[in-house]
Amino acid sequence: MRIWPLGALELRIPWLTFYPAVMAASVYGGISAGVVSTVLSILAISFWSPTGQPFMDDFGDWLGAAVFAVNCLLISAISETMRRSRERATKAKEQAETANRAKSTFLANMSHELRTPLNAILGFSRLMMTGRDITTEQSEYLKIISNSGQHLLNLINNVLDISKIEAGHMVIEKSNVNMETFLTEISSLMSVKFMDKGITFTLEQSPNLPQIINTDSGKLRQVLINLLGNAVKYTDKGEVNLRVEAIMEESTQSVRVQFEVEDSGIGIDKANWERIFRPFEQVGVQPATQTGTGLGLAISKQYVQLMGGQIGLTSEPGKGSVFYFDIPVETLQSADAVTSEFRYRTVTALAHGQPQYRLLIAEDQPENRLLLHKMLKHLGFDIREAVNGQEAVTLFNQWHPHLVWMDIRMPVMNGLEATRLIKASETGAQTRIVALTAHALEEERLEILNAGCDGLIRKPYSDVEIFEALVKHLGVRFIYEEEQLPQEVTSQERLDVAAQLRLLPVSLLTILWEALVILDGERCLVVAGEISDVNHRLGDILRDMIQRLQYKELLAILDELLGEAPLEFTRPPVALSSNEILVVDDTLSSLKLLTDILVGAGYRVRPASDGELALRSVQVIAPALILLDITMPNIDGLEVCRRLKANAATRDIPVIFISALTETRSITKAFEVGGVDYISKPFEASEVLARVNTHLNQRRLQQKLQEQTRELAAANTELEAFTYAVSHDLRAPLRAIDGYTMAVLEDYADRLDDEGRELLQSLRQNSQEMYGLINGLLRLSRSTRGALSPERVNLSVMADGIMKALQRAEPQRQVSCHIAPQLEACGDPVLLKTALENLIGNAWKYTANTPEPHIEVAAQAQADGLVYSVGDNGAGFDMRYADNLFKPFRRLHKAEEFSGSGIGLATVERIVLRHGGRIWAVAEVDKGATFYFTIP
């Protein structure tokens, strides 16, 4: 080593030579390999001497070796830490990839399983709505079904979109778009929502806006629909504007287009401007009848960024908001390059001069086959069906259809394999195959197209998508019927309602206001009819708003015209009705469904769209029962129930919560605030009616019992007065009889014969016994109402006597009993005996079904004195219902299991309270109960 260029290091050369060896060993082998390398290096320089001169020659060499060893050990430890970190990172990456694959698989399966039934729900409801023989009511129901299904589909799409964005699977799918047609389509899609709320919508397009652009029209459409949907949701009156303009020309074929959505709604505080773009974040008050997940703006932001733009907003609370974004787009000159947009016209037939097209439907779900068959058969197509891929291939080879509607997930042979087999033949290569699938992920779409499918339509699909596919792939020509927008109530007419109502007589407005406050729909319609006699169009508008349950909007107008609660009502402030039910739900579809169910069963229903409206109505007329949703804007259902229970006038109204919240915590809270029952959405009509009938019958029985209790209390009062009067009238002559009899015996005993003296003594004895009996009746009367007669009572002796009496009454039962000796208390012996009889009697009763029954009477010393207890190992009870234990007529066990009146423990509690003590219980179902009480 001395002849190397590093020979100048002489014998110190091993330190430089072995360091890389130790480092390499520790990096690849970890700390154990590094330690071994270090030891071998030390041994090598200690015993190996190739030149005859030892490496370790003096103290400095040994010190250098020590420093070398320490450094190598540190290097080994650091390398081990780095190696483990790499392993953890690799493992975490593998776990993340596994979780991501599992998430993708779950989302794909969830999408498929949810979209498949949704396809039937939305498809058949739309088919039925096109029928010419359906009634207005049926059309309204079908519209609710369709809207609810569409809302569920939007939720599914939002969850899938945010998941694809997080996983980085979202891609841009550009197409050529005619901007004027595109924006007109957006306006048409949103027009019904604007009309329903009476909001003015304006579309403003700048003159420099390019006619044809190339961009991702699907994502752009979704962003605009999300922003416009939010605008209409949070705007109760005023207007919403959509402005579109080209703001910057980046090149001859590229331009930046800016979109602005301005509303006059509630606005957003500046502190929440960033927060609203986060997933699942919602700020402000959610309007009644509106729903949302908090995903719309988060998805919009990601879409805009994916398209190369930025999104932002300006807003002021109470004055509205402006959401804006700009994106780069390519400009085109040829109108021929524009992809076809949706046609908003109804297909009625095939145009003449076309061949009879053969269409094969390959679908394993019978309802989806039926839907597509119904959609196409009446137009004149020749249709055949296959229930799996193998059958589809066989039918194709026999029949040679022009187009195949191919489901992907099917038994025996899936749609992808069937497509490959069909496309492999010369005839099949010319046949169009359109996939109809519930799969929604991008990688699945690419797999489907790569298998040979010419197009893809995701379930649930609309008839427009089916017809457009036929136009695109086969060149089918249709005959259309132009659709007309519903001629109901225009936005401007809604805005003019207040001005027109102002012209009506105050007396008529007063009647309408009162009917609205008590949520009496029938009465409101009658008043609207009377208004029609004065102003026909205004009457139509009011009927439309009443039928849409827009009581709150009308009340806001009338409150402004008449002033808050300005009038005296003709009916009592709280009028209980035996068949009136208040239904409170902020979702219009649920409100209408519950209303129709209950009205069909013969109940009068008062529908309220939020908690504030419900509380206002109950102040005027209290219903027999309330069906109450939990999740509502402004005042939720739990708070509504709390306020009802805090008011003595409405405390006894039974409240049944009906909510989509199914977790135990929400259900527990509902019962804690005073609910008597809980129904989970979605619900069956039979379940709702059964529970409503049960609680109404129970309420009627309670009211009857309360009336009987009042009558009994009045009778007891009369009986007590009678007892005192009779006792007074009887005791005075009895004392006289006793006194005169004793005087006769003392003064004239020597003049009476034996028979006379015996008769007088018998007379005196009977009068004394009657006197004692009357005193006993008085003590019995005082046991619950009179003053206490406290004295030292031996509870052990008293309990023993009670147990023996019970054993004599039922000698066939063998119950072990332990009574602690010398249990004493200071109290009224009659009342204490009544209390012990009830407690021990309950223990005896609830151990009837116990194999080895045992009763124990004991006491234990605590800081505030003795605590007495009566325990058993019987049926016990659920501690969640312990608050009802001492309430009169509240039973915790079924009557058929254990008999009783339900007033025994209430009596015990009153006796203990009269003595200044307290009573409570601890129990467990099927393990017994122990009642504790104090007598200070």
Side-chain angles (χ1 to χ4, degrees), residues 401-458:
H402 294 90
L403 183 142
V404 180
W405 302 109
M406 183 72 74
D407 185 26
I408 299 303
R409 184 179 292 186
M410 293 186 291
V412 184
M413 180 186 293
N414 63 40
L416 295 178
E417 184 62 27
T419 298
R420 293 188 186 100
L421 291 175
I422 292 173
K423 287 292 186 177
S425 66
E426 183 178 351
T427 305
Q430 305 302 318
T431 301
R432 301 301 182 187
I433 300 179
V434 177
L436 299 176
T437 178
H439 296 286
L441 299 182
E442 179 62 22
E443 54 267 30
E444 295 167 333
R445 186 185 75 87
L446 295 176
E447 182 183 8
I448 291 169
L449 295 178
N450 291 335
C453 290
D454 300 284
L456 182 147
I457 298 177
R458 291 189 175 98

Side-chain angles (χ1 to χ4, degrees), residues 198-210:
I199 299 171
T200 302
F201 173 68
T202 304
L203 171 62
E204 301 177 12
Q205 304 178 57
S206 67
N208 65 342
L209 190 67

Side-chain angles (χ1 to χ4, degrees), residues 206-338:
S206 67
N208 65 342
L209 190 67
Q211 181 183 1
I212 303 166
I213 64 173
N214 182 267
T215 188
D216 191 325
S217 61
K219 292 181 178 59
L220 180 58
R221 179 187 290 107
Q222 188 61 51
V223 172
L224 290 174
I225 289 175
N226 286 343
L227 296 180
L228 289 170
N230 274 357
V232 76
K233 181 192 298 184
Y234 293 103
T235 303
D236 290 328
K237 59 182 179 179
E239 61 182 358
V240 173
N241 299 318
L242 171 60
R243 302 187 188 93
V244 188
E245 63 177 331
I247 60 173
M248 183 188 305
E249 187 172 332
E250 298 185 336
S251 68
T252 56
Q253 294 183 340
S254 179
V255 67
R256 295 192 76 86
V257 178
Q258 178 169 291
F259 299 83
E260 285 188 4
V261 176
E262 180 182 13
D263 65 65
S264 57
I266 61 175
I268 304 168
D269 188 81
K270 190 171 184 178
N272 294 320
W273 285 9
E274 293 184 6
R275 178 183 165 197
I276 61 173
F277 290 106
R278 299 172 190 163
F280 304 105
E281 289 281 356
Q282 293 177 303
V283 298
V285 177
Q286 187 82 338
T289 73
Q290 301 292 339
T291 53
T293 60
L295 289 174
L297 288 177
I299 292 171
S300 298
K301 180 180 179 181
Q302 295 292 339
Y303 278 2
V304 170
Q305 291 177 348
L306 198 62
M307 290 186 288
Q310 293 293 327
I311 190 171
L313 80 149
T314 59
S315 182
E316 186 176 348
K319 294 187 177 180
S321 306
V322 178
F323 284 84
Y324 56 86
F325 67 93
D326 62 88
I327 58 172
V329 300
E330 296 178 19
T331 60
L332 301 174
Q333 302 301 322
S334 174
D336 297 333
V338 181

Side-chain angles (χ1 to χ4, degrees), residues 451-523:
C453 290
D454 300 284
L456 182 147
I457 298 177
R458 291 189 175 98
K459 298 176 183 176
Y461 46 75
S462 66
D463 55 353
V464 173
E465 293 175 281
I466 297 296
F467 298 145
E468 281 208 341
L470 291 170
V471 172
K472 177 180 179 181
H473 296 291
L474 296 182
V476 177
R477 302 190 309 279
F478 292 108
I479 298 174
Y480 299 95
E481 176 185 69
E482 294 291 340
E483 287 190 354
Q484 300 294 326
L485 290 175
Q487 299 298 317
E488 295 178 347
V489 180
T490 66
S491 303
Q492 190 59 43
E493 286 177 321
R494 290 273 179 88
L495 295 174
D496 292 341
V497 167
Q500 296 182 59
L501 285 173
R502 193 183 301 276
L503 303 177
L504 296 177
V506 175
S507 58
L508 199 55
L509 295 180
T510 301
I511 298 172
L512 178 60
W513 182 80
E514 179 180 346
L516 288 168
V517 169
I518 63 177
L519 307 175
D520 191 337
E522 294 181 4
R523 191 174 176 190

